[in-house]
Amino acid sequence: MIPFEHYIYLSLILFSIGLVGLVVRKDAITVFLSVEIMLNAANLLFVAYSRVRGDEFGHTAAFVVIAVAAVEAAIGLAIVIRLKKQSGTLDLNEIAQLKG
Amino acid sequence: MNTQMLFLMLPPVLGSFILGFFSFISYRRVEKISGWIALLAIVISFFAALSMLAGFYGHDTHPVVLDLGSWMKLGAFHLDLVFKVDALSTVFTVLITGVGLLVHLYSIGYMSHDESRTRYFSCLNLFCAFMLVLVTGSSLPIIFVGWEGVGLCSFLLIGFWYTDKANAFAGRKAFVVNRIGDAGFLLGMFLILKTFGSLDISVLEQHSLLSSLAGMPVLEWIMLFLFIGCVGKSAQFPFYIWLPDAMAGPTPVSALIHAATMVTAGIYLLCRMFFMLKLAPMVMDLIAFTGALTAFFAATIAIFQSDIKKVLAYSTVSQLGFMVLAVGAGAPDAGLYHLITHAYFKALLFLAAGSVIHALHGEQNIFNMGGLRTYLPGTAITFICGFVAITGVPPFSGWVTKDAILHAVFSHGHTTLFVLAFLSALMTAGYMTRLFHFVFLGNPRQSVKSAKNIHDSPWVMMLPMWILALLSILGGMGALRFETILEGWSHAQDIKHLDGPVSEMTMNALVTLSTLGAMFTVFYLYNKKYARLESMAQQRQKLISFIQREYGLNQFLVGGATYLSAALSKLFAWLDRSWIDGAVNSVARVSMILAGVISKIQTGHVQGYSYAVVVGFFVLAYYLLSGGV
């Protein structure tokens, strides 16, 4: 069996990658990708703990998270399309309409 | 509820309110009897005052009290609304209601053709009501209410014919100058409250701190402030400037308010507080000096006046100076006697002047009169009665009281002041003789020749004049100047009279002879040497008009006051613009700067925000995991 700690480490690494991507990447879609990575990291953690504890709570939670992620991706991409149409670019360093 | 007191205090108040109401509605029937309604109110008060006076001649000399319960309660300080008639007050109440009665009667005749006479009588009654409050107040705030009230009524009555702006301005001047005095009175009250903890006069009289504070600066300051109030109200130098202007009002008003009553309020206050005043020697000296100065100063101006009422106005200021001098010299009883006799003869003189003005249809310039002794015999005789009283011809009332003052001043050692007062007495004889000469003697001049049907006034006006004439003649008698009562009062105040180097008789003789001499000299000069006098006057025309204008004092004070308030206004306007607006604007600017700084956080850069969230998360995590709260 894979020792339980490995799941934690993997989840942590995935989450960090996503986090750094969120903060650092300049393309909006890449930022969305990073957010999805973070959500998957959380899912992994939920399922791992579910195996350890022996109940199905983690599975249920993972389903909810997946559903939410799907919805969020739909709405987020709609916003990105709007943003592209309006500003002509998806470079997050350029877009600063909320300034001041 | 003491019925005597109610009958004394209430009728003028009720009369004033009823007439005031009708002065707005203007109901013809009431207008005709408005004067009689007012007169009735005062008559009731007069009889109440008399009955209280009678009580003081017996052995039981307890004050009559009207207690209306508590007025102010502020923590430890409380004040009751109590009106009290004691020996001093009873004299004043009889004087106020008595002379008031006569003036009301006279006014019925004098104002018979005036369409606003209801308002006039309402104000006149109100004045008497407030004056009674002033002299029966048992504590300083109540006295102050009466004080302010008579100032108000003086304003209302001086500016009675307000459609002529000059009259309105005169009323305003009286009120504003009085106000300066009131500020002094207030400061005195504050200081008394702080020092003694009470404003009730009976409490102050018995206060334990009095003897220990004798001669201390605190008492000097208190009495100085109260004296400033007196200076404003009783027209002493330099706040007398309102009184000559006050002649713009109806003549009976001048008789009552500016001769017999309101102007005596200041002297009443000094006498009422004499128990404290005698412990402040420096202020006493100041008071004596001011009185003598006022007496002299005003007398010099009176000599050169051409308006009959103005002569009497300056004369009043001068005589008030005598009364104030007496108080300052330590003889308030002498001052009070003179106050009483002055009320008699000065009111008479004003009423007679009113009679003359009425007969000549408004003429007030004495150079246009003359020879009126044949046309107005009744007025002339009554005027003579007042004339001999004021100049101090023995044995009439003025001679008795003025002499008492001069003797007291001399015996208490104030020689210079005595000289000033003596000269003022000579000048009094001088200008009164001059007035009498120009109005009644000689040949009829301009206005007398052109007026038709000059006759003595109707009985409503002549009767008060005859009564006052009688009082002026006989007022020297003890009874008519309330001698028994006032002697009791001055005994209670521990007033002792020294005899001084010269005996009273000798001084009496000297002063009387000098005064009579002055009178005859003036008679002679005006009769025989008139041409010579006229040429002397022509040569010194500039000097004379300078003196006539009160040595420019009026312009100086009024101009000075105007300049000061303009300057202060500019100063405050500048302060407001630069400091206050500056402060408010700075607050706004500070918050704008702060906002500018803080808004730099909002970069609009979403990734920056998420970076901040991450950093914040780590800080929080570290904090929580290291065991913080």
Side-chain angles (χ1 to χ4, degrees), chain B residues 309-332:
Chain B
K309 284 177 70 172
K310 285 260 165 71
V311 174
L312 294 177
Y314 286 109
S315 173
T316 306
V317 176
S318 181
Q319 298 299 308
L320 288 168
F322 270 100
M323 297 176 218
V324 167
L325 167 62
V327 173

Side-chain angles (χ1 to χ4, degrees), chain A residues 19 22-25 31 92-93 95-96 98-100, chain B residues 599 602-611 614 618:
Chain A
L19 195 58
L22 171 67
V23 178
V24 172
R25 305 291 286 194
V31 167
L92 285 178
N93 290 332
I95 299 169
L98 287 176
K99 184 180 169 74
Chain B
S599 71
Q602 290 185 303
T603 55
H605 192 215
V606 179
Q607 283 183 315
Y609 297 167
S610 42
Y611 179 65
V614 170
F618 277 112

Side-chain angles (χ1 to χ4, degrees), chain B residues 34-154:
Chain B
S34 54
W36 297 101
I37 295 176
L39 180 65
L40 177 66
I42 301 288
V43 165
I44 297 175
S45 290
F46 178 62
F47 281 115
L50 274 185
S51 73
M52 280 192 264
L53 178 75
F56 281 95
Y57 280 105
H59 288 291
D60 172 25
T61 50
H62 286 295
V64 185
V65 175
L66 175 67
D67 191 334
L68 293 177
S70 169
W71 182 19
M72 294 185 216
K73 268 205 191 100
L74 292 164
F77 170 70
H78 79 278
L79 194 71
D80 293 330
L81 193 60
V82 178
F83 299 103
K84 203 189 292 185
V85 171
D86 64 354
L88 183 63
S89 308
T90 192
V91 170
F92 274 88
T93 55
V94 172
L95 201 63
I96 293 166
T97 52
V99 178
L101 190 167
L102 295 172
V103 169
H104 272 79
L105 185 60
Y106 181 93
S107 300
I108 292 176
Y110 194 79
M111 303 291 285
S112 57
H113 299 300
D114 195 307
E115 46 181 43
S116 337
R117 56 185 182 276
T118 321
R119 174 165 59 98
Y120 172 84
F121 283 109
S122 170
C123 292
L124 209 58
N125 256 13
L126 189 66
F127 169 81
C128 291
F130 273 124
M131 195 70 205
L132 287 171
V133 166
L134 200 158
V135 299
T136 57
S138 66
S139 53
L140 284 171
I142 301 179
I143 296 181
F144 191 64
V145 168
W147 187 273
E148 294 277 278
V150 295
L152 169 71
C153 294
S154 175

